[in-house]
């Protein structure tokens, strides 16, 4: 029998014995008709160890009665005293607490609930202030870890939000991509756990929720470095990982957890031993992305499963579209108005200042030729190319590697192990090409990315900002971003301009000729079954994604020249496509054949 099972059985036996003893005392008290005070136990009728034998002498009987008089006390006081003593004994023997046990030893008593006006005044920090300015408010262990991570000065979002969180305020913050949001919420969270003296037996005190697995891995890596000199336990929960291993770690206690919404909800509903009664901090990163990808219902269920006690709630994002009052009310509890930091619409619709942005106008049949020329010219840089579908990413990855243009790819249909390996491989490389979907557009920090090419136009402004934000990260970072458009899509530039994003039109450099490889490409795909199948699937996914674009007046699928689009996939003729229209318009699917 496992140690935990033995401890649990011992507790059950002790509790049953106490219940039987108290029940017997109550029954004997109820049967005594001469008792004038029902709260006092009379020795003659209740004490079970009283000797009433006729062979016992009067003196002995008197002595025995004196002993019983000392042992017999008020029933209600006895119950409370024995209960408190037994709980203390159990805690001393076991040393640890199970999630179903509400012993006081595992209960963390945090700051008192106070109204907003009674909370301490946050310290004032200027942008660029050194992290040493936090001395006295952040423990030396954390400051030492920050110094070893190579960070010396605070960014704007860090200087504004860290003091508020250290003072216990709820925060709703937005800042540009690459501005240091991860450290901005992890430093106060670690300090809170350190101040409350969290132990492994206390369970989980802080939960950080991220929308994607890649962002979860990255946040976990930063947390691991930050806790280098702390004794706090921490872990990561995400889809694709071993659930049994995660459940075992949760049983023994993880003080700080970084998780994706789906896997976190799964553990809250199904994992025994997951203790969240001591939760004092809930952090949600990239809130707008969580809402866009359909995790809002999961977040609501997660909130309902967490304890209703007062906790600090923090929400971060790179855009302001997440300002949903209902969700903010749900997450923070609205015990007082959360502080909004960096909520400037102009700054949120502007990518990092170090990014040079432009667009190329390329006909459908020449798009792939321009892509090859672009990648070959900048192969000594780190380049990220974004596509609209997983099928397109996989097709162009296999095709480019087949013709000796080495590249990596990452998309949602890959296994988690492959995605993680690719992510770290590209992050650690000095040069390379990464083909990706919007999966790699959120929050992940890949250093030294020089070029961003959006091969397929993004669905909205928020998506555009996040993709461009993969370059020019950090203070003083620089990078270049290019958007590829068809001549019919030029209205998209005006749409971005209205949102405050200005793009310069770029021309193909005559010194870098674009070679027409259409014939050899069609010959290769026509004779390679694997590539031909991928090309057909990528074409169909492209048309469906085009059909579902939000800007119908710019991206009109009915005006697509499918024969010319098929050429960009190396197909002689376009395959049949099922275009699933919007169900809200009560329009069924239809098929266009060629």
């Amino acid at each position: 029998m496992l140690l935990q099972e033995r401890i649990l059985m011992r507790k059950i036996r002790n509790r049953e014995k106490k219940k039987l003893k108290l029940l017997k005392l109550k029954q004997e008290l109820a049967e005594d008709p001469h008792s004038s005070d029902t709260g006092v136990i009379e020795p003659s009728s209740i004490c079970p160890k009283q000797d009433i034998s006729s062979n016992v002498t009067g003196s002995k009987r008197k002595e025995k009665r004196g002993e019983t008089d000392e042992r017999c006390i008020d029933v209600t006081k006895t119950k409370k005293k024995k209960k408190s003593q037994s709980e203390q004994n159990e805690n001393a023997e076991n040393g640890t607490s199970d999630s179903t046990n509400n012993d006081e030893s595992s209960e963390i008593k945090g700051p008192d609930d106070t109204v907003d006006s009674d909370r301490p005044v946050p310290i004032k920090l200027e942008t660029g202030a050194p992290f040493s300015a936090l001395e006295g408010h952040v423990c030396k262990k954390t400051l030492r870890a920050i110094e070893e991570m190579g960070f010396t000065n605070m960014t704007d979002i860090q200087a504004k939000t860290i003091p508020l969180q250290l003072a216990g305020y709820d925060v709703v913050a937005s800042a540009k991509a690459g501005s240091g949001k991860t450290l901005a919420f992890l430093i106060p969270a670690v300090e809170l756990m350190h101040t409350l003296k969290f132990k492994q037996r206390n369970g989980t005190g802080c939960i950080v929720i991220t929308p994607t697995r890649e962002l979860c891995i990255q946040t976990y890596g930063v947390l691991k470095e930050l806790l280098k000199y702390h004794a706090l336990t921490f872990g990561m929960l995400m889809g694709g990982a071993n659930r049994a291993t995660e459940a075992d770690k949760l049983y023994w206690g993880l003080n700080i957890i970084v998780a994706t919404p789906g896997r976190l909800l799964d553990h809250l509903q199904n994992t025994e031993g997951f203790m969240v009664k001591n939760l004092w901090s809930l952090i949600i990163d990239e809130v707008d992305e969580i809402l866009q990808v359909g995790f809002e219902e999961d977040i609501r269920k997660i909130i309902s499963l967490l304890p209703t006690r007062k906790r600090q709630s923090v929400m971060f994002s790179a855009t302001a579209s997440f300002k949903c009052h209902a969700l903010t009310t749900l997450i923070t509890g609205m015990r007082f108005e959360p502080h909004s930091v960096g909520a400037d619409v102009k700054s949120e619709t502007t990518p990092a200042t170090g990014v040079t942005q432009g667009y190329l106008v390329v006909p459908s049949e020449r798009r792939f030729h321009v892509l090859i020329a672009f990648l070959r010219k900048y192969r000594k840089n780190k380049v990220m190319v974004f596509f609209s579908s997983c099928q397109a990413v996989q097709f162009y990855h296999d095709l480019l590697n087949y013709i000796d243009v080495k590249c990596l790819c990452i998309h949602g249909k890959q296994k988690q192990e492959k995605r993680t390996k690719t992510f770290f491989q590209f992050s650690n490389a000095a040069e390379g090409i990464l083909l990706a979907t919007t999966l790699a557009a959120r929050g992940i920090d890949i250093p030294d990315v020089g070029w961003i090419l959006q091969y397929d136009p993004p669905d909205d402004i928020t998506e555009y900002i996040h993709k461009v934000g993969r370059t020019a990260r950090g203070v003083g970072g620089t990078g270049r971003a290019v958007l590829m458009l068809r001549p019919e899509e030029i209205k998209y530039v005006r749409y971005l301009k209205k949102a405050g994003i200005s793009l310069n039109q770029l021309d193909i450099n005559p010194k870098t000729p674009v070679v027409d490889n259409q014939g050899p490409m069609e010959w290769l795909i026509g004779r390679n079954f694997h590539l031909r199948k991928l090309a057909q699937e990528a074409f169909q996914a492209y048309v469906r994604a085009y059909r579902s674009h939000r800007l119908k007046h710019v991206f009109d699928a009915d005006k697509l020249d499918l024969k010319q689009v098929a050429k960009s996939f190396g197909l002689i003729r376009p395959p049949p496509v099922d275009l699933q229209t919007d169900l809200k318009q009560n329009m069924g699917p239809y098929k266009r054949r060629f």
Side-chain angles (χ1 to χ4, degrees):
M1 184 180 294
L2 296 176
L3 177 61
Q4 299 91 338
E5 295 177 351
R6 292 201 299 269
I7 293 173
L8 183 61
M9 292 300 296
R10 187 190 308 159
K11 291 180 179 180
I12 294 174
R13 286 196 298 270
N14 291 340
R15 289 172 184 171
E16 291 299 323
K17 288 179 180 179
K18 288 188 292 182
K19 289 180 180 179
L20 291 174
K21 187 178 294 185
L22 290 173
L23 182 62
K24 186 175 181 180
L25 290 174
K26 289 181 179 180
Q27 289 176 350
E28 292 178 351
L29 180 62
E31 293 174 358
D32 184 10
H34 303 290
S35 176
S36 59
D37 186 2
T38 58
V40 179
I41 304 174
E42 292 293 331
S44 61
S45 60
I46 297 177
C47 189
K49 293 185 178 181
Q50 182 179 1
D51 190 354
I52 56 174
S53 173
S54 58
N55 296 329
V56 180
T57 62
S59 61
K60 288 184 179 180
R61 187 179 293 118
K62 196 171 184 180
E63 180 182 356
K64 193 72 173 179
R65 179 169 296 185
E67 293 176 359
T68 57
D69 286 340
E70 294 177 357
R71 287 197 300 264
C72 296
I73 58 175
D74 188 282
V75 174
T76 57
K77 293 182 179 180
T78 302
K79 181 178 180 180
K80 292 181 180 179
K81 184 176 180 180
K82 289 186 177 181
K83 183 176 181 180
S84 62
Q85 289 178 349
S86 62
E87 288 178 352
Q88 292 175 0
N89 293 335
E90 287 177 8
N91 292 336
E93 291 177 1
N94 301 334
T96 57
S97 175
D98 194 71
S99 65
T100 57
N101 185 18
N102 294 324
D103 296 338
E104 294 181 359
S105 63
S106 65
E107 188 75 23
I108 293 292
K109 295 184 178 180
D112 296 332
D113 291 342
T114 57
V115 297
D116 197 12
S117 59
D118 296 334
R119 289 182 175 271
V121 178
I123 59 175
K124 293 183 179 181
L125 298 174
E126 298 293 334
T127 302
F131 280 101
S132 58
L134 295 173
E135 192 170 352
H137 304 277
V138 175
C139 67
K140 294 182 179 180
K141 295 179 181 179
T142 305
L143 293 176
R144 182 182 175 187
I146 294 172
E147 183 180 357
E148 293 185 3
M149 291 167 70
F151 299 107
T152 55
N153 299 91
M154 284 181 272
T155 62
D156 182 51
I157 192 65
Q158 291 169 353
K160 289 180 178 178
T161 59
I162 289 178
L164 288 171
Q165 295 176 74
L166 290 176
Y169 291 95
D170 288 357
V171 175
V172 178
S174 57
K176 296 176 183 178
S179 59
K181 295 188 295 294
T182 305
L183 272 182
F185 60 72
L186 284 183
I187 291 175
V190 171
E191 184 61 22
L192 177 61
M193 297 298 99
H194 174 76
T195 303
L196 294 175
K197 297 180 180 180
F198 249 72
K199 304 296 182 184
Q200 186 175 17
R201 66 174 180 269
N202 300 130
T204 300
C206 175
I207 295 178
V208 182
I209 302 177
T210 63
T212 65
R213 300 175 186 178
E214 283 67 31
L215 184 55
C216 182
I217 294 171
Q218 179 179 292
T219 305
Y220 174 80
V222 177
L223 177 64
K224 184 177 181 179
E225 293 185 69
L226 205 57
L227 292 175
K228 183 177 180 179
Y229 299 105
H230 287 272
L232 297 169
T233 58
F234 57 98
M236 176 172 55
L237 311 176
M238 66 177 185
N242 190 310
R243 192 190 180 285
T245 302
E246 293 176 348
D248 185 61
K249 292 179 180 179
L250 289 172
Y251 179 86
W252 291 106
L254 293 176
N255 300 145
I256 304 178
I257 290 174
V258 183
T260 53
R263 181 55 66 90
L264 175 61
L265 179 60
D266 180 18
H267 281 295
L268 285 172
Q269 291 176 332
N270 305 311
T271 300
E272 295 183 5
F274 187 5
M275 185 194 295
V276 292
K277 69 177 183 179
N278 291 323
L279 185 70
W280 281 102
S281 177
L282 176 64
I283 302 168
I284 305 181
D285 193 15
E286 302 291 355
V287 183
D288 53 341
E289 174 66 7
I290 286 178
L291 296 180
Q292 286 183 4
V293 298
F295 281 128
E296 181 177 358
E297 186 60 31
D298 286 351
I299 293 295
R300 293 182 181 277
K301 291 180 180 178
I302 289 170
I303 299 299
S304 67
L305 293 171
L306 295 179
T308 56
R309 67 187 301 169
K310 175 68 183 84
R311 60 175 176 268
Q312 186 179 42
S313 301
V314 179
M315 291 179 284
F316 272 79
S317 183
T319 58
S321 61
F322 67 89
K323 291 179 180 177
C324 173
H325 180 73
L327 186 63
T328 304
T329 303
L330 177 70
I331 294 173
T332 64
M334 292 303 286
R335 289 176 173 83
F336 52 85
E337 187 68 23
H339 283 256
S340 296
V341 179
D344 182 9
V345 176
K346 183 178 179 180
S347 66
E348 290 166 359
T349 55
T350 304
T353 54
V355 182
T356 302
Q357 303 174 76
Y359 67 95
L360 278 172
V361 180
V362 184
S364 297
E365 65 275 13
R366 288 175 54 82
R367 284 161 56 86
F368 180 68
H369 310 316
V370 173
L371 175 63
I372 293 179
F374 179 86
L375 295 179
R376 283 177 173 167
K377 181 178 181 179
Y378 298 108
R379 62 183 179 275
K380 295 298 182 181
N381 296 268
K382 284 180 95 168
V383 182
M384 292 184 69
V385 185
F386 287 100
F387 297 87
S388 59
S389 67
C390 302
Q391 293 86 344
V393 170
Q394 192 63 53
F395 164 67
Y396 285 115
H397 169 266
D398 291 6
L399 178 60
L400 289 170
N401 280 282
Y402 194 88
I403 60 177
D404 292 330
V405 180
K406 301 301 180 183
C407 60
L408 302 171
C409 74
I410 184 170
H411 57 80
K413 292 190 176 181
Q414 289 177 323
K415 292 184 177 181
Q416 183 57 45
E417 183 180 355
K418 173 66 175 175
R419 286 164 55 176
T420 304
K421 181 180 178 181
T422 301
F423 170 72
F424 284 110
Q425 184 179 348
F426 186 70
S427 296
N428 298 328
E431 59 185 50
I433 301 169
L434 178 66
L435 312 183
T437 58
T438 53
L439 178 73
R442 282 281 178 165
I444 62 174
D445 186 11
I446 300 177
D448 303 325
V449 176
W451 283 91
I452 299 293
L453 175 61
Q454 301 193 52
Y455 189 78
D456 296 327
D459 205 39
D460 56 18
I461 295 174
T462 300
E463 188 177 318
Y464 175 87
I465 293 171
H466 279 284
K467 288 179 178 178
V468 172
R470 296 315 98 204
T471 187
R473 298 185 67 81
V475 179
T478 59
R480 287 167 286 188
V482 178
L483 175 65
M484 191 180 291
L485 298 172
R486 296 165 53 247
E488 299 82 1
E489 300 166 352
I490 197 68
K491 295 179 182 178
Y492 190 71
V493 178
R494 294 197 291 270
Y495 171 71
L496 293 175
K497 189 175 182 179
K498 288 182 180 179
I501 302 175
S502 298
L503 278 70
N504 300 319
Q505 184 171 0
L506 306 175
D507 296 323
I508 298 174
N509 192 337
K511 295 182 180 180
T512 310
V514 178
V515 180
D516 189 352
N517 296 314
Q518 190 64 35
M521 180 182 172
E522 291 178 355
W523 181 87
L524 172 64
I525 292 176
R527 284 158 179 78
N528 189 308
F529 175 79
H530 173 71
L531 289 177
R532 184 170 69 252
K533 183 179 179 181
L534 288 178
Q536 292 173 348
E537 293 175 351
F539 171 82
Q540 294 167 343
Y542 172 81
V543 176
R544 285 194 293 268
Y546 205 91
R547 181 78 183 184
S548 64
H549 204 287
R550 296 183 182 182
L551 301 177
K552 303 294 183 184
H553 64 286
V554 178
F555 303 95
D556 190 353
D558 294 330
K559 295 181 180 180
L560 270 179
D561 188 341
L562 297 184
K563 291 184 179 180
Q564 298 300 324
V565 173
K567 289 184 178 181
S568 65
F569 293 92
L571 299 170
I572 299 175
R573 60 179 61 87
V577 183
D578 289 333
L579 298 177
Q580 186 69 35
T581 59
D582 192 353
L583 295 178
K584 293 182 180 179
Q585 299 177 359
N586 295 323
M587 297 176 64
Y590 65 92
K591 184 176 291 187
R592 293 174 64 180
R593 290 187 177 274
F594 298 88

